[in-house]
Amino acid sequence: MSKLKKSFSGTDLDKLRQASAELPSPRALPASFVQEVRPASPTGSSGVSDDCCQDDLRKPIVVLKVGTSSLINKKGRCVWLSRLAVICETVADLRRGGYQCIIVSSGAIGAGCIRVGLSARPLSVAGKQAMAAIGQGQLMRHYDDMLTAMGITSAQILLTYDNIGNKSQYANAVNTLDELLRLEIVPIVNENDTVAVEELRVGDNDTLSAMVANMVNARWLFLLTDVDALYTSNPTTNPDAKPVHIVPDIDKLDIDIGGAGSAFGTGGMATKIKAARLATACGVRVVIMNCNAPHEIPRILKGAQIGTTFIEKLNDDQTQGRSIKQRKRWIISLQSQGQITVDDGCARAIRKKNSLFAVGIVGVEGDFGTNDVITICTRDGTAIARALSNYSAVDVDKVKGLRSSQLHKKLGYIGMEDIVSGAKIVLL
């Protein structure tokens, strides 16, 4: 201590004491934060609990997905701080209006490229990971500075598909998001590009935002992009393209959604349609809108028709006032490893939440294993459900068309009577 005192003058020490005294006191946490120490899985297993999110006890959740093209000014070669500021102001307005907010933000690789003077994303995996490592801190600093100026605390969450695909890690992520929202903190989510390998990447933040919306049982998902809405075809190449304002059933959508993302981004309209399909299947309403108009979001929440709105699908639980169970939201979020095609009678049974039996199977595709996620399709290729398979693709192919009593003789072992149990099926 004597050495420390010698290195400062008396005046310097007085200034330090004064500065320390002027620091704001830390925000008091609720007493329940100390008292309620929850395990990763309330059941004590590695499974996904249906109680991870206490939906009935909290405010409605809005997820805002901000794309690279919305944040990176290609002409000025800089982060678009004015847009980022409007997004943060919108979050503040939504919170004042009684909503909780999560931001899913791209732009880390783009910000890193700008910082080191690159004109486009690197092609190598190591190059992308290095740019993400440089840019993520820069991007988070901008968000945190602006939200802090508005009296809002933010938190960074980096996820990979490996985290979402693992039951225990998924439950941990859900609990963390739930706790942050309970503490009125705004989570800012991005894919962890510095460690994700190609095989275990979500791939784009449109899809990641839909996964996050499903994880927290969000009410709304807003995909902010560089176009005003979804069009019947690419408006930059087709002057006759017309905006689509309402999509009541995404399965009946038939438009040209070709086109890639920006120089620094990976998204495009195709990934937004994929995200909308994923989110609406879990009861989340999705809006595609221009990144220049996030201030219009409160009006959209009150019924204004701005951008393109995808109407959520309602299953039996939701029509009866219950939210979709967490386990089913997890199944929806996983990438399908294969496909089982069923006959018409089996398809009708599945739509009534019955189990899938081998006798109704007419085709098998993919290389899935036991407990992998598969897509159940009709003969014409229409996907009707996602599910966890009780058998591998090899075994399902062996027993397709057989009765349950014949399975053990064909396989050489005694297994489940059904190929997919009804409780493991999520209708699309």
Side-chain angles (χ1 to χ4, degrees):
M1 185 67 183
S2 59
K3 291 182 179 180
L4 180 62
K5 287 184 177 180
K6 289 180 180 178
S7 61
F8 291 96
S9 67
T11 303
D12 291 332
L13 287 172
D14 291 339
K15 289 181 178 179
L16 284 173
R17 294 190 186 99
Q18 182 179 357
S20 177
E22 292 174 354
L23 288 174
S25 58
R27 176 184 171 187
L29 296 177
S32 59
F33 181 75
V34 179
Q35 296 169 356
E36 299 177 7
V37 180
R38 294 179 293 173
S41 173
T43 61
S45 66
S46 61
V48 178
S49 167
D50 290 331
D51 300 322
C52 287
C53 289
Q54 303 300 324
D55 300 318
D56 297 334
L57 302 178
R58 66 185 184 187
K59 302 172 185 176
I61 300 171
V62 173
V63 177
L64 283 70
K65 185 271 174 178
V66 187
T68 298
S69 62
S70 305
L71 291 176
I72 303 300
N73 186 336
K74 292 183 288 185
K75 293 182 180 179
R77 310 288 306 158
C78 62
V79 176
W80 223 317
L81 294 179
S82 58
R83 284 186 177 177
L84 195 148
V86 175
I87 291 166
C88 292
E89 288 173 352
T90 300
V91 168
D93 288 341
L94 291 172
R95 283 163 57 91
R96 284 191 290 269
Y99 290 88
Q100 293 177 311
C101 296
I102 297 176
I103 299 173
V104 178
S105 179
S106 303
I109 294 177
C113 290
I114 288 175
R115 185 62 183 260
V116 300
L118 298 182
S119 59
R121 293 165 60 95
L123 297 178
S124 68
V125 173
K128 294 174 185 176
Q129 291 174 329
M131 292 306 104
I134 295 169
Q136 182 61 37
Q138 301 289 320
L139 196 62
M140 190 63 199
R141 178 170 60 85
H142 292 315
Y143 273 116
D144 190 59
D145 285 347
M146 291 188 182
L147 289 172
T148 298
M150 300 171 193
I152 299 172
T153 302
S154 63
Q156 175 179 257
I157 294 183
L158 299 177
L159 297 171
T160 65
Y161 181 76
D162 193 31
N163 302 140
I164 296 171
N166 181 284
K167 289 181 181 180
S168 178
Q169 292 183 37
Y170 179 90
N172 282 330
V174 170
N175 283 339
T176 299
L177 287 166
D178 191 39
E179 191 65 26
L180 289 172
L181 293 173
R182 193 170 72 90
L183 295 171
E184 298 185 359
I185 292 170
V186 175
I188 299 177
V189 184
N190 195 1
E191 185 161 13
N192 195 352
D193 291 311
T194 59
V195 299
V197 295
E198 199 64 32
E199 295 79 7
L200 294 176
R201 294 189 70 244
V202 176
D204 65 88
N205 274 2
D206 293 321
T207 302
L208 180 62
S209 67
M211 291 178 173
V212 170
N214 290 348
M215 290 168 74
V216 298
N217 197 24
R219 188 76 57 84
W220 292 81
L221 168 61
F222 289 89
L223 302 175
L224 304 181
T225 184
D226 51 6
V227 295
D228 293 330
L230 175 68
Y231 284 79
T232 53
S233 61
N234 192 336
T236 61
T237 58
N238 182 4
D240 296 325
K242 296 180 180 179
V244 179
H245 293 297
I246 298 288
V247 180
D249 188 349
I250 195 169
D251 291 331
K252 297 179 180 178
L253 187 65
D254 184 20
I255 60 173
D256 177 14
I257 55 174
S262 65
F264 293 118
T266 59
M269 196 54 70
T271 64
K272 289 169 179 57
I273 299 297
K274 175 185 175 184
R277 189 182 304 276
L278 188 65
T280 54
C282 282
V284 181
R285 184 163 294 194
V286 180
V287 178
I288 295 175
M289 63 179 297
N290 199 299
C291 59
N292 288 319
H295 57 279
E296 298 284 11
I297 290 178
R299 290 186 57 213
I300 295 174
L301 296 177
K302 294 179 180 178
Q305 289 191 0
I306 300 170
T308 299
T309 300
F310 295 82
I311 304 301
E312 67 277 17
K313 295 184 177 182
L314 298 178
N315 63 16
D316 292 340
D317 286 337
Q318 291 169 304
T319 56
Q320 295 174 24
R322 299 189 300 266
S323 62
I324 295 178
K325 292 181 178 180
Q326 187 62 251
R327 185 186 190 188
K328 291 191 174 183
R329 281 185 255 146
W330 174 67
I331 292 173
I332 283 283
S333 297
L334 298 180
Q335 295 175 3
S336 178
Q337 303 300 312
Q339 176 179 309
I340 292 179
T341 303
V342 299
D343 61 28
D344 294 341
C346 186
R348 286 193 296 270
I350 288 172
R351 288 191 175 103
K352 294 179 181 178
K353 292 187 166 185
N354 292 317
S355 298
L356 169 59
F357 294 93
V359 68
I361 297 175
V362 296
V364 183
E365 297 179 19
D367 185 25
F368 56 88
T370 304
N371 287 323
D372 277 349
V373 173
I374 52 96
T375 303
I376 301 174
C377 298
T378 57
R379 289 180 185 270
D380 63 1
T382 302
I384 61 173
R386 285 274 188 91
L388 294 178
S389 177
N390 292 331
Y391 291 92
S392 67
V394 173
D395 285 348
V396 175
D397 193 51
K398 288 179 182 179
V399 301
K400 64 184 179 185
L402 299 181
R403 295 186 178 277
S404 299
S405 59
Q406 299 173 297
L407 299 190
H408 72 277
K409 185 176 180 180
K410 187 69 174 181
L411 296 175
Y413 64 88
I414 299 176
M416 302 282 287
E417 289 188 355
D418 47 16
I419 303 302
V420 178
S421 304
K424 298 179 180 179
I425 295 176
V426 185
L427 299 178
L428 298 177

